[in-house]
Amino acid sequence: MPTKPGVSAVNPPLPNIPVPESLRYFNLTDDYKRLQPLGLYVNPQIEIENEGYTLKIHHMLVDRSQIVMTIEQIAPDGTNAYLVTPYSGNIHITDENGHQVATIVKETNLYRAGFQRWVFQLNDDIPDQVVVRGNWGI
């Protein structure tokens, strides 16, 4: 009786590269190691201040289905602040022509560490470039 060839799914080994702290908090280590060598990791280090409050966008991971952002919000006294939420409609992910290409699907807060994770689901037609824009007023 002939035997069937075995089917094996083998994932290539992930590179041994250091992973940013906020990504480790959210168990995104493997995602980072997979996406960073492909150029699908952005470290914008955006910091916006308004009336003593600070919003920091630390990291963005992008794949064919989603955009994951790690965020930190800090009050004037240095404590964690959670004033901006992606559900408020103040965060827009669009193509270069301003058409929305992603929708918020999840927000996770790590209160002790002060980090937030925002996950946006990309629409079916994904452009080569996306624009992330936000309005922040306190």
Side-chain angles (χ1 to χ4, degrees):
M1 176 189 295
T3 61
K4 292 182 183 178
V7 176
S8 150
V10 177
N11 290 326
L14 296 172
N16 185 16
I17 55 178
V19 178
E21 178 184 30
S22 68
L23 296 177
R24 289 193 314 259
Y25 276 125
F26 287 110
N27 298 318
L28 294 170
T29 297
D30 288 353
D31 292 325
Y32 174 79
K33 288 182 176 186
R34 181 176 48 85
L35 296 172
Q36 195 276 344
L38 300 173
L40 298 174
Y41 162 75
V42 179
N43 183 1
Q45 292 303 309
I46 293 172
E47 188 170 317
I48 304 164
E49 189 171 328
N50 186 358
E51 297 182 22
Y53 290 87
T54 305
L55 172 74
K56 295 180 180 182
I57 300 175
H58 290 285
H59 309 283
M60 296 178 69
L61 297 168
V62 182
D63 64 23
R64 292 199 278 162
S65 65
Q66 65 184 1
I67 297 174
V68 178
M69 303 169 71
T70 59
I71 309 293
E72 188 177 11
Q73 298 183 55
I74 304 165
D77 64 2
T79 60
N80 299 331
Y82 298 97
L83 302 174
V84 177
T85 172
Y87 295 104
S88 66
N90 292 335
I91 307 297
H92 309 280
I93 300 179
T94 66
D95 62 16
E96 294 178 35
N97 298 319
H99 300 104
Q100 182 175 326
V101 298
T103 306
I104 182 68
V105 292
K106 186 172 187 176
E107 175 185 23
T108 306
N109 297 318
L110 290 179
Y111 294 104
R112 193 175 53 144
F115 293 112
Q116 296 173 278
R117 177 183 66 174
W118 296 351
V119 180
F120 294 85
Q121 181 75 43
L122 289 162
N123 299 344
D124 292 334
D125 296 324
I126 303 168
D128 291 334
Q129 291 189 324
V130 297
V131 176
V132 178
R133 183 175 48 85
N135 307 330
W136 188 35
I138 298 174

